[in-house]
Amino acid sequence: MELSTLLIIIGIICIIASFFLKDTSKKLERDVEELSLQFYQETNGIKRRLKVIEEELLLEPSFKVKPATKPITTKSENVPKQPNKPVNQILVRQVIELNKQGYPISEISKMSTLSEEQVLHILNHGGQS
């Protein structure tokens, strides 16, 4: 037998064998599709939960904070009594919660991006204007 005939026979055998062997790319494709579907579902679930949390934060009614036993005072007398612009209610709640947790005024100011005077005003007036 010649070499070319032998190669043709081997080629034909390989083609026939390929029809009987399983195609692993289909399984891999199915796995990737299932994974992407799971990812999509989890992302949608997280978005729904985040939306509920955002709605709770924005729609939660104003709450009263117990007045401090002694008002918080500043070190300098030239501090304005009322902040210049209104503060978002979410920031007010954040300031009050951080104060309840025992954070100092300077740290609360850094975390909430408000001035120390605004933080003091919020804490002295219980979040009311």
Side-chain angles (χ1 to χ4, degrees):
M1 256 197 204
E2 287 187 27
L3 182 61
S4 61
T5 311
L6 184 62
L7 288 176
I8 291 175
I9 293 173
I10 291 175
I12 293 172
I13 291 174
C14 288
I15 291 173
I16 293 172
S18 70
F19 287 118
F20 296 109
L21 295 177
K22 289 186 177 181
D23 189 12
T24 57
S25 65
K26 295 216 188 262
K27 183 183 183 302
L28 181 62
E29 184 178 318
R30 197 175 329 117
D31 289 344
V32 169
E33 188 175 326
E34 287 176 13
L35 184 63
S36 67
L37 185 60
Q38 275 183 330
F39 180 72
Y40 178 74
Q41 289 172 342
E42 288 178 14
T43 303
N44 279 343
I46 291 171
K47 284 181 183 178
R48 275 182 278 157
R49 284 185 252 153
L50 183 60
K51 185 175 181 182
V52 168
I53 290 171
E54 286 174 346
E55 288 174 358
E56 286 177 2
L57 285 175
L58 294 176
L59 299 177
E60 186 175 298
S62 301
F63 57 88
K64 301 281 183 192
V65 178
K66 295 180 196 173
T69 54
K70 121 176 145 176
I72 301 171
T73 57
T74 60
K75 295 177 184 172
S76 63
E77 291 299 311
N78 59 1
V79 175
K81 293 292 181 188
Q82 197 162 356
N84 294 337
K85 62 180 184 178
V87 179
N88 189 333
Q89 281 295 19
I90 294 174
L91 282 175
V92 170
R93 289 188 202 123
Q94 180 187 24
V95 166
I96 292 170
E97 286 300 314
L98 290 172
N99 184 47
K100 283 181 185 177
Q101 294 174 12
Y103 284 95
I105 302 297
S106 60
E107 286 293 314
I108 294 173
S109 175
K110 289 177 189 173
M111 285 190 238
S112 65
T113 67
L114 296 173
S115 67
E116 289 188 20
E117 292 81 22
Q118 288 174 314
V119 171
L120 288 171
H121 176 79
I122 290 169
L123 294 175
N124 282 332
H125 295 91
Q128 304 300 321
S129 295

